[in-house]
Amino acid sequence: MDFGLVLQTDPPGSRTVGLMKRAERNGFGYGWTFDSAVLWQEPYVIHSRVLEHTDRLIVGPMVTNPGTRSWEVTASTFATLNEMYGNRTVCGIGRGDSAMRVAGRKPNTLARLSEAMSVIRDLAEGREAVIDGTPLRLPWVKDGKLPVWMGAYGPKALAMAGREADGFILQLADPYLTESMVKAVRVAAAEAGRDPDEVTICVAAPAYIGDDLAHAREQCRWFGGMVGNHVADIVAKYGTASDASGGAVPQALTDYIKGRDDYDYNEHGRAGNVHTQFVPDEIVDRFCILGTPEQHIEKLKALQEIGVDQFSVYLQHDNKEETMRVYGESIMPHLRDHVTAKA
């Protein structure tokens, strides 16, 4: 299993760069950031500094979207970083939640996301793509490589990830839900004639090391609120498995949003977000990884058995450095793939 971490680009930018440097020293292979231009600092500027000050770390947004930047600009940004630092980027992308809604826009359609993924990948890798009827190519790109990983929850999005994405990002760490969603992605990949194992599976969720479970829950409760925004969209479109529509969304994912009234994106992703008090302790425990190193290892091994290739740690809490340290020293060694020497 690979490991990454996910940071918001709060000022000062040097703090984000420093945490990414520390993450590489602790054995993390991926450094992800939020991409929401109004709420946080511009991630790609910071990505450039992170790449300059690390040797192996692969960086990218978790996640960008097709609506806040033109696609050729996104592709050119990735291609430039890759030319400078040697193909060490990954494009995490989704329909857009905070980045779109904080500016009064709706998330992008799946059709638009599908087109954008293809265009951005092709342009960043030096191939021609068509935008608004105009063929374009970045003539200076040589040997570019840009994996595109798609964030998804709903049935149609999961199927699209399996058909079209290089990787699938699932923002929750519940083994039961993860297993069903990974299965949906792999079935769609196989039906599209792809090798399902070629789709990288990335689970991303807060992880908090410590014995004070009540405190850890309060530091990570914001995550249930963030996931709840996506769940509310899915329920509005598909219904739930328990209602008259017989929707395809699992009841285990939808029951907890019944107490959700509103959501203030100015507190998005923040520990102590007052708009996430509807999230019960059970959901925090299921969606996040909390407790002792042994409890983290147990849950991560369950995810690994399901087929998760990477676990990325959201560090939006008050225990960033200690969590990174314990992961590097005590947790990652138990989840790494070991090669046995043979005579």
Side-chain angles (χ1 to χ4, degrees), residues 28-296:
F28 288 83
Y30 285 75
W32 303 91
T33 67
F34 283 48
D35 179 10
S36 193
V38 174
L39 298 178
W40 298 288
Q41 292 181 318
E42 173 56 36
Y44 298 113
V45 175
I46 294 173
H47 290 176
S48 183
R49 294 289 289 172
V50 171
L51 289 164
E52 181 181 3
H53 289 283
T54 57
D55 298 316
R56 302 172 304 280
L57 202 68
I58 296 171
V59 305
M62 188 180 281
V63 293
T64 193
N65 72 87
T68 54
R69 308 172 194 273
S70 66
W71 304 346
E72 67 270 26
V73 170
T74 298
S76 182
T77 299
F78 280 111
T80 300
L81 292 173
N82 283 336
E83 186 278 326
M84 294 174 68
Y85 301 107
N87 287 338
R88 288 169 54 203
T89 67
V90 56
C91 177
I93 193 167
R95 293 175 58 227
D97 181 34
S98 65
M100 296 295 288
R101 285 176 161 138
V102 79
R105 307 182 187 118
K106 294 181 179 181
N108 298 272
T109 65
L110 286 178
R112 181 172 173 81
L113 176 58
S114 172
E115 185 180 2
M117 289 199 303
S118 177
V119 166
I120 291 168
R121 184 195 292 114
D122 283 346
L123 289 177
E125 294 186 346
R127 295 184 294 276
E128 183 180 281
V130 177
I131 299 179
D132 296 329
T134 300
L136 298 174
R137 188 175 69 85
L138 305 181
W140 48 269
V141 174
K142 307 296 181 185
D143 301 318
K145 185 66 177 177
L146 181 66
V148 177
W149 294 12
M150 177 182 162
Y153 291 102
K156 290 184 179 179
L158 294 169
M160 195 175 99
R163 293 192 305 267
E164 303 177 27
D166 301 300
F168 162 50
I169 297 171
L170 176 59
Q171 291 166 312
L172 56 82
D174 178 73
Y176 170 75
L177 291 169
T178 299
E179 184 172 21
S180 65
M181 293 184 184
V182 168
K183 180 179 179 180
V185 169
R186 287 182 167 159
V187 167
E191 290 176 348
R194 306 179 66 191
D195 179 353
D197 291 334
E198 290 183 357
V199 182
T200 302
I201 307 296
C202 173
V203 161
Y208 196 104
I209 298 290
D211 296 327
D212 188 341
L213 183 57
H215 179 74
R217 283 170 174 161
E218 289 311 312
Q219 286 290 303
C220 298
R221 197 175 303 277
W222 65 267
F223 185 69
M226 186 183 82
V227 174
N229 297 328
H230 301 289
V231 174
D233 286 344
I234 297 168
V235 170
K237 184 176 181 63
Y238 298 102
T240 71
S242 61
D243 65 23
S245 67
V249 185
Q251 189 170 347
L253 185 61
T254 61
D255 277 355
Y256 82 99
I257 67 165
K258 292 176 181 177
R260 178 182 181 271
D261 293 324
D262 58 7
Y263 189 85
D264 184 356
Y265 278 90
N266 291 307
E267 293 188 346
H268 185 65
R270 307 282 186 190
N273 184 339
V274 299
H275 295 271
T276 61
Q277 293 308 306
F278 71 91
V279 180
D281 289 350
E282 177 191 2
I283 288 295
V284 180
D285 294 346
R286 290 179 63 172
F287 285 10
C288 306
I289 305 184
L290 313 176
T292 65
E294 293 74 21
Q295 289 172 311
H296 285 245

Side-chain angles (χ1 to χ4, degrees), residues 10-27:
D10 287 311
S14 59
R15 167 74 167 152
T16 304
V17 176
L19 287 169
M20 291 292 190
K21 291 167 62 178
R22 183 189 292 256
E24 183 177 75
R25 292 197 300 270
N26 281 303

